[in-house]
Each structure stands twice: as structure tokens, then as C-alpha cells.
Amino acid sequence: MELSFCPSFSLRIRGTTKPSCFPSSSSSSSSSSSSSIRTTKSQFLSSLSQCTTNLHSFGLYTCSRTFLNFQQKRNSIWACSQAEAAGSDPVLTKVSDFKDACWRFLRPHTIRGTALGSTALVTKALIENSHLIKWTLLFKAFSGLFALLCGNGYIVGINQIYDIKIDKVNKPYLPIAAGDLSVKSAWVLVIFFAIAGLLIVGFNFGPFITSLYSLGLFLGTIYSVPPFRMKRFPVAAFLIIATVRGFLLNFGVYYATRAALGLQFEWSSPVAFITTFVTLFALVIAITKDLPDVEGDRKFQISTFATKLGVRKIAFLGSGLLLVNYVGSILAASFMPQAFRRSLMIPTHTILALSLIFQTWVLEKASYTKEAIANYYRFIWNLFYAEYIIFPFI
């Protein structure tokens, strides 16, 4: 049974059972096979209080005094769900499905990392030079963010195109592997991302940043595309990921922001810290990302640290490297109080380190089940986001 309120102040009830407080369709002079019963606004308001008890018995809703004062409101009530609308229209259904497939194609967790990282670095540069902020730079900032997201989309997209067979085993929920996005459509998207990103960067950020952006696209390409397919080689794979997500993103965004403000590039202690921290963090992501994929990687003879050393050893290695990051952060704040806010850096990184230890213990207790490994890898990304969130304030 379904209850929907539409802007014409009509009430429609669909179902096999009709509440007794509404007139029967057989008594209408224009009776038909339709199961919908409509009342005008005044009829709706007068009958609402009468049928509250009956509607309660059907489990439709709970009536409230606020709702009974409906006549005091000028706006109509609209509670027809979008899902129902899409389901009733094949075109809307196709559009909705395509949007969902494109979003999954972009790998949302990587999009969040790129957006948070670039926003944090721009914010830090503006805080350091607040007297140079101009509203005219807002468009340039958003165009730069869009270019970064295009680069991200290209790299993760090209990887999915060449990993269809592996993804059907490791990640069957991805749109190409699941059959929700055709290979042809995927190629259109990655080509658009590459061209759009290069054009935006080329027209707005000069030759040096364009060369860094092109380097990132090149590394992302040789990571996935034959005959290079550097992802087959563990050391080359994690070095590419650490370079692109660690050094190029942080250095490039900070350099571009200072250039937009009319400043020469120079390292500040916080920016040098976050670039080093995130580069090592990206290294951890590179080696732990294969933990949920061991089954498919072994089947298709993809050599990773996880397939060579085992899931347990790689999990402990990843957690150990991150603990080195956190200990280094605490020491940096302790010995360089003039560069960092000790009151924020020390307790925050202590809490993050303890939470990492706890999550690793949970993984060990769960005997490294597939679900526990997925939760652990998701937690690693949450730590990654957390570092960028606190960065502008350290």
C-alpha cells in the first residue's frame, strides 16, 4: 500500500485494501477500474481527522497536531518520492542508472581524497597570505579543483577499463565489471577527463604546472595500460601511487596557489610536513589497497606484496609505517613549536595513532576475513581524510 501527497491537494491511496473513511469507487458516477481515490483540498482536510484511526491500523503514518494545521500553510504538500518517479519513467530510470554508474566509475573515496587534499593546501596558502586574497581568484580555484578531479577520474577510469576481468573477481560492484557501464562509454569518459583537465590547466596555470599535470596522467597511464602495466611490479606500482597522490598533488597545488597570489614558491614547514606525511601515507595506501584483492590477483597472476608476503604481514607493515608517520608528527610538533601548534598536533596524532592500533587489533581478532580487511582499508582512507582536515590548522 502506498500513500502519496501531490501538489493538487489530492490524496491518492493505492493498494488492495481501502480505508473505510473514503468513499467507495462504486458509488461514484464515473466509476472505473482505477484504484486511485481523489478528494479535493477541503474534503481531504475534513476527512483526515475522521480516518486517522483507520490509517493507524494500516500502519501508514502517525498523525500530529502540526500536520492537522495544514490549512494554515500556503504551500502544497509534495511527498511523492523521486525513486517512484524514476521507476515509472524508463528515461528517468536510465538517466539515474547512468549517473550512479558514473559516480562509481570515479571511485568516490579517491575523489574525496583529491578534493580534501587540494582544498586543504589552498586554504593553508591563503591563511599564510590572507592579505593577498582576491575574489577574482575564486573561479581559478574552482577550475583547478575540477581539473584535479578530471585527472583523478582519468587515472581510476583507465585502470578499470584494463582490469575488467580482475574486477569481476575482486570488485564486481564496479560499473564496467557489473555491466552497468559499457567499455565504449568508459572510453568516452576517460578521454573527456584527460582533454578537459589538460585544457583547463594549460589555459590557467602555465607551462610548469601543465607539465606536472601531464606527468601525473602519464604515470597513471603506464600504471594500467599494456605493454607497460607497471601495476604488475609491486615496487614500481607503489612508487607511482606515492608520487602522484603524495608529491605531485601537494607540491603542485601549493605551487599553483602561490603563483596565483603572485608569490614565488618556497617551502613552509607545514607544507613540507604534509607533503612528506602524505607521500608516506600514499605508499601505505599503495601496499594495502591490494589486501582485499588477493584472490583475483592470484588468479590473474598479478604480483603484489599482499600475494607474496600474505595479508597479515602487509597489514602490520602498513600500520607500522603509519605509526612512524604519527610519531614523526608528534616529534615535529615537540621540537618545532615555532612552526606547529603543539596543542593540536600532539593530541590529535596521538588519538589517530591509538585508533590505528585498535583497528589493526580488530583485524587480527577477526582472523583477516574479507569483510574485516575491507573495513581496515576503509579505515586507512578515513585516517587519510582526517590528516587533510586538520592540516590548515596546524
Side-chain angles (χ1 to χ4, degrees), residues 134-143:
K134 298 178 183 178
W135 287 109
T136 54
L137 297 175
L138 193 60
F139 173 77
K140 196 169 188 177
F142 279 112
S143 64

Short mmCIF file of all heavy atoms in Angstrom, two decimals, residues 134-143:
data_model
loop_
_atom_site.label_atom_id
_atom_site.label_comp_id
_atom_site.label_asym_id
_atom_site.label_seq_id
_atom_site.Cartn_x
_atom_site.Cartn_y
_atom_site.Cartn_z
N LYS A 134 41.92 37.56 -3.21
CA LYS A 134 41.06 38.32 -4.12
C LYS A 134 39.92 37.41 -4.58
O LYS A 134 40.14 36.24 -4.91
CB LYS A 134 41.85 38.80 -5.34
CG LYS A 134 42.99 39.75 -5.02
CD LYS A 134 43.75 40.12 -6.29
CE LYS A 134 44.93 41.02 -5.98
NZ LYS A 134 45.72 41.36 -7.20
N TRP A 135 38.72 37.99 -4.62
CA TRP A 135 37.57 37.21 -5.05
C TRP A 135 37.69 36.79 -6.51
O TRP A 135 37.07 35.81 -6.94
CB TRP A 135 36.28 38.00 -4.84
CG TRP A 135 35.91 38.11 -3.40
CD1 TRP A 135 35.97 39.22 -2.61
CD2 TRP A 135 35.42 37.06 -2.57
NE1 TRP A 135 35.56 38.92 -1.33
CE2 TRP A 135 35.20 37.60 -1.27
CE3 TRP A 135 35.14 35.71 -2.77
CZ2 TRP A 135 34.73 36.84 -0.22
CZ3 TRP A 135 34.67 34.94 -1.72
CH2 TRP A 135 34.46 35.52 -0.45
N THR A 136 38.49 37.52 -7.28
CA THR A 136 38.65 37.18 -8.69
C THR A 136 39.37 35.84 -8.88
O THR A 136 39.32 35.25 -9.95
CB THR A 136 39.45 38.28 -9.42
OG1 THR A 136 40.68 38.51 -8.72
CG2 THR A 136 38.66 39.58 -9.46
N LEU A 137 40.04 35.37 -7.83
CA LEU A 137 40.75 34.10 -7.90
C LEU A 137 39.84 32.90 -7.65
O LEU A 137 40.27 31.75 -7.79
CB LEU A 137 41.90 34.08 -6.90
CG LEU A 137 43.02 35.12 -7.12
CD1 LEU A 137 44.02 35.04 -5.98
CD2 LEU A 137 43.71 34.88 -8.46
N LEU A 138 38.59 33.17 -7.27
CA LEU A 138 37.69 32.08 -6.91
C LEU A 138 37.44 31.15 -8.10
O LEU A 138 37.46 29.93 -7.97
CB LEU A 138 36.36 32.65 -6.39
CG LEU A 138 35.41 31.67 -5.70
CD1 LEU A 138 36.08 31.06 -4.48
CD2 LEU A 138 34.12 32.37 -5.31
N PHE A 139 37.20 31.76 -9.28
CA PHE A 139 36.95 30.94 -10.47
C PHE A 139 38.17 30.08 -10.79
O PHE A 139 38.04 28.91 -11.17
CB PHE A 139 36.61 31.83 -11.66
CG PHE A 139 36.50 31.08 -12.96
CD1 PHE A 139 35.36 30.33 -13.24
CD2 PHE A 139 37.53 31.10 -13.89
CE1 PHE A 139 35.25 29.62 -14.43
CE2 PHE A 139 37.43 30.40 -15.08
CZ PHE A 139 36.29 29.66 -15.35
N LYS A 140 39.36 30.66 -10.66
CA LYS A 140 40.58 29.91 -10.94
C LYS A 140 40.73 28.73 -9.97
O LYS A 140 41.15 27.64 -10.36
CB LYS A 140 41.79 30.84 -10.83
CG LYS A 140 43.06 30.29 -11.45
CD LYS A 140 44.12 31.36 -11.54
CE LYS A 140 45.31 30.87 -12.34
NZ LYS A 140 46.34 31.93 -12.51
N ALA A 141 40.37 28.95 -8.72
CA ALA A 141 40.46 27.88 -7.72
C ALA A 141 39.53 26.73 -8.07
O ALA A 141 39.91 25.55 -8.01
CB ALA A 141 40.15 28.43 -6.34
N PHE A 142 38.28 27.05 -8.44
CA PHE A 142 37.33 26.00 -8.77
C PHE A 142 37.70 25.28 -10.06
O PHE A 142 37.50 24.07 -10.18
CB PHE A 142 35.92 26.58 -8.87
CG PHE A 142 35.24 26.77 -7.55
CD1 PHE A 142 34.98 28.04 -7.06
CD2 PHE A 142 34.89 25.67 -6.77
CE1 PHE A 142 34.38 28.21 -5.82
CE2 PHE A 142 34.28 25.84 -5.53
CZ PHE A 142 34.02 27.11 -5.06
N SER A 143 38.24 26.02 -11.03
CA SER A 143 38.67 25.38 -12.27
C SER A 143 39.84 24.43 -12.01
O SER A 143 39.93 23.35 -12.60
CB SER A 143 39.05 26.42 -13.32
OG SER A 143 40.18 27.17 -12.91
#
